[in-house]
Structure formats: structure tokens, C-alpha cells
Amino acid sequence: MHAAASAPPTGVKARPTLRDVALLAGVSTKTVSRVVNGEAGVSPPKLAAVRRAITQLDYRPNFTASSLRRSSGRSAAIAAVLEDLANPFSAALHRALEDAARERGVLIFAGSVDESPERERDLIHAFTMRQADALVVVPASDDQSYLAGEVSAGTPVVFVDRPPVGLPVDAVLADNLRGAASAVHHLAAHGHRDIAYLGDLQTIATARERFQGFREALAEHGIRPAAAVHDLHTEHGSAAAVRRLLAGDSPPTALFTSQNLVTIGAIRTLQQLGRQHEVALVGFDDFPLADLLQPAVTVIAQDPSEMGRVAASLIFRRLDGEQWRPRTHLVATRLIPRGSGEISGPHRQ
């Protein structure tokens, strides 16, 4: 005698099955299977009926049923939709997720969104079509309410680095406000009053938070930003912006660069102009070899490994049946003084 299948948790809607589609369309499960797999031999009326049923039920075929599915009903796979796997931040985050998943015998499938909302949706659709047990997402779009069906079906979803919009799920974020503020306090303590901001795309929530922290800290010191340049997302764009700032009538004595690629572009220009020992710089995000440059680069370091560990913990707790109201989990940043941020300004006492 077979044990009865356990009912889904309260408030969780079971995923529609191939049999559900067949019943709604008034056809056999074999016919539905042929349609899903793109096989020939299905009459146009039945084909149309099956497609209508699939759309109405939001049915997603389980491509992994024969290979990854366990008796528990899980696929033993978690999908990570990250910003850019080639970026050191994303790479460290991915590795932390992978290490935590490996302890549970679970695979991590990952892809890069490259700041493309369309790519974000395509990746998530591809992963959910393959019945991923859970999703870890660094979003590029400004509205993730399209994932509400996955959440209501019981799929654990955790956002990392950027908060979700239109979706009540857990988020693991760096403390961007305090991190940016600490950069300003540090530069001000070294005598700088003309501090310029070079920021990432304004569409990114973390970039907006860092600029807010920057402005609030300047206000605490009673000073105004020397300049603020936004929407820099490449080394080349940042390098050009720094060159323009330093060629102006009132060049800044210090720079706060709010993302590692922006920092690298700024450093490149300072070195080309021979001013790397004159203009102070604090960057948000650490990066490889930052401690080997001359001067070594002072940074506000995030902890992507810790963010990955926290995200993995939340995912597995959800998969183990724990329930709680979704909330934001902040991970602290830390200032690493190495030299570039300690260059004295004209107002050093």
C-alpha cells in the first residue's frame, strides 16, 4: 500500500501537473506529452486545446524528472541568477553558494544577467522550467512581481545584493548606506572637503543607496560634493569621467568610487596623469591586486562570501519547512585603509 502524498503547506498552491493539463484540455496525458515535447501527430484542435490549458494553468514541464528528481520531489538543484559571473563579487557569491549546496548534495546552476531585465527573465524562466528547487537572484529589472507564481507555488526565493521590488521575499544586502558614509568620514578626517562621487547606473538600487550615504555623510561635515557623476558602469566610462573632473576649474582633491570597475577606471586615469599620490581615493568593493598597486587602494569591502552563506542558509531553512515573514538581512561592510584613502587633503589639521 502506497503512502499518501503529503499535502502542500498552508497557503502554498501545488504545481499543475501534466495530468491537470490533460483533464482541462479534454485529451489524454500522452497527447499533452506530445505537445510539450514538440512531437508530430496531434490534430490542430487538440493542439490548440492543450496550449490553452498550459497557458491557463501556467504549467511548466519537468525536464529533470528522469535525471535529477529525488523521491522527496526535489530536483537537487538551486538556480543562481547573478550579475556577472566574471565579476569578482559575483564569483565569490557563487562560490559561497556552491560550497553550502555541496554539503547538502545539491547542485548550483548559475547564469549572468549583465544588467539586462530581459536576460533576467529568460534565465529565471529557463531555470524554473527545469524545476529548480529554489532561486537566488541578483536582479536587473525594476519589478519582480512576475515571480509571484513561483513563490505561491512554494519555491524559496532569496534576493542578494539588491532588494526585490513587488515581491515579498527575503533579501541579503550589504549595508550600503553605512559603507558609503564611512568612506566620506575617512576622507574628511584626512582633510578633504572637495570630494567627488563616481557612481554606477542610477537604475541599480545599491548605487542609489551608496549615493544617499555619501550625501548624508557630507552633510554631517557641513560640506557639499565637489561633483557627482552617475551611470558609470565600465572602466572606460569611469576613466573618462575622472579625466574631465581633474581638468576642470575646481578639481576634487578626493574621489569616492562606488563600484569596483569604476574604481579601476579611476585608478587608471590617476596613474596616466601621474596624480595617484595627489588625489585621494576610496572605492566601494574590494578587487584582486588592490593591495599591490602604488599606492595600495583603500576600499569599503563587502563580504560576498558571507552574503552567499546567509542566502544559502535561508534557502535551505525554507526547503526544510521553516516559515517566517520575509525580511531584509544586512551584512556589514568594513573599511580597509591601504594608502590611497590616506593621502592628506589641503585641510588636514
Side-chain angles (χ1 to χ4, degrees):
M1 182 174 182
H2 295 289
S6 58
T10 304
V12 174
K13 182 176 64 176
R15 294 180 185 277
T17 65
L18 185 141
R19 179 176 173 78
D20 294 330
V21 175
L23 289 172
L24 182 60
V27 300
S28 68
T29 55
K30 186 174 182 179
T31 297
V32 176
S33 179
R34 284 178 174 172
V35 174
V36 168
N37 291 307
E39 298 176 8
V42 179
S43 67
K46 289 184 178 180
L47 179 62
V50 171
R51 287 177 173 170
R52 283 195 301 271
I54 287 174
T55 299
Q56 184 175 334
L57 294 173
D58 192 23
Y59 170 71
R60 292 172 179 173
N62 180 1
F63 292 127
T64 61
S66 62
S67 57
L68 289 177
R69 279 279 163 189
R70 297 172 170 176
S71 59
S72 64
R74 296 180 182 169
S75 65
I78 292 173
V81 179
L82 308 179
E83 179 187 359
D84 179 3
L85 287 167
N87 185 292
F89 180 90
S90 294
L93 178 59
H94 177 264
R95 182 54 190 262
L97 292 169
E98 185 179 41
D99 288 346
R102 185 178 181 184
E103 295 178 2
R104 302 282 294 251
V106 172
L107 295 174
I108 296 289
F109 296 143
S112 304
V113 297
D114 295 331
E115 298 303 342
S116 167
E118 182 180 27
R119 189 175 175 93
E120 172 195 313
R121 285 175 175 261
D122 288 346
L123 279 171
I124 288 177
H125 179 69
F127 287 140
T128 55
M129 287 285 283
R130 286 157 178 80
Q131 301 288 315
D133 288 336
L135 294 169
V136 176
V137 182
V138 177
S141 65
D142 58 5
D143 182 4
Q144 292 83 45
S145 59
Y146 67 89
L147 275 168
E150 282 297 318
V151 175
S152 66
T155 302
V157 179
V158 173
F159 278 58
V160 181
D161 189 43
R162 304 171 188 177
V165 179
L167 191 71
V169 296
D170 287 300
V172 181
L173 311 177
D175 195 342
N176 292 289
L177 281 171
R178 290 187 182 181
S182 67
V184 173
H185 295 321
H186 188 73
L187 290 168
H190 284 80
H192 294 280
R193 296 295 181 270
D194 298 310
I195 306 171
Y197 172 90
L198 289 96
D200 206 336
L201 304 176
Q202 294 183 85
T203 54
I204 300 174
T206 53
R208 297 194 298 271
E209 289 178 355
R210 292 170 194 175
F211 184 54
Q212 180 182 344
F214 171 81
R215 291 172 54 189
E216 291 177 357
L218 284 180
E220 289 183 37
H221 293 278
I223 56 180
R224 301 175 64 180
V229 184
H230 300 279
D231 297 321
L232 302 172
H233 196 62
T234 65
E235 293 179 28
H236 176 75
S238 173
V242 172
R243 189 174 292 273
R244 289 194 300 271
L245 288 175
L246 296 182
D249 294 333
S250 300
T253 65
L255 307 174
F256 171 55
T257 51
S258 75
Q259 188 249 48
N260 53 17
L261 294 180
V262 175
T263 300
I264 293 170
I267 293 168
R268 190 181 303 278
T269 290
L270 290 176
Q271 290 183 340
Q272 289 173 348
L273 297 176
R275 301 193 61 184
Q276 68 269 32
H277 296 286
E278 300 173 12
V279 179
L281 181 147
V282 177
F284 204 112
D285 284 347
D286 206 356
F287 59 93
L289 306 183
D291 58 331
L292 299 181
L293 295 173
Q294 290 297 325
V297 184
T298 297
V299 297
I300 305 299
Q302 299 189 81
D303 193 344
S305 294
E306 178 62 16
M307 294 169 76
R309 286 190 288 269
V310 172
S313 173
L314 295 171
I315 287 292
F316 286 118
R317 285 171 57 195
R318 292 279 190 190
L319 289 173
D320 289 340
E322 288 190 49
Q323 296 186 26
W324 62 87
R325 186 182 297 277
R327 65 183 183 88
T328 296
H329 307 258
L330 288 181
V331 175
T333 61
R334 64 189 179 102
L335 173 71
I336 304 178
R338 294 187 177 130
S340 70
E342 292 69 56
I343 297 171
S344 295
H347 300 278
R348 182 71 180 264
Q349 296 180 351

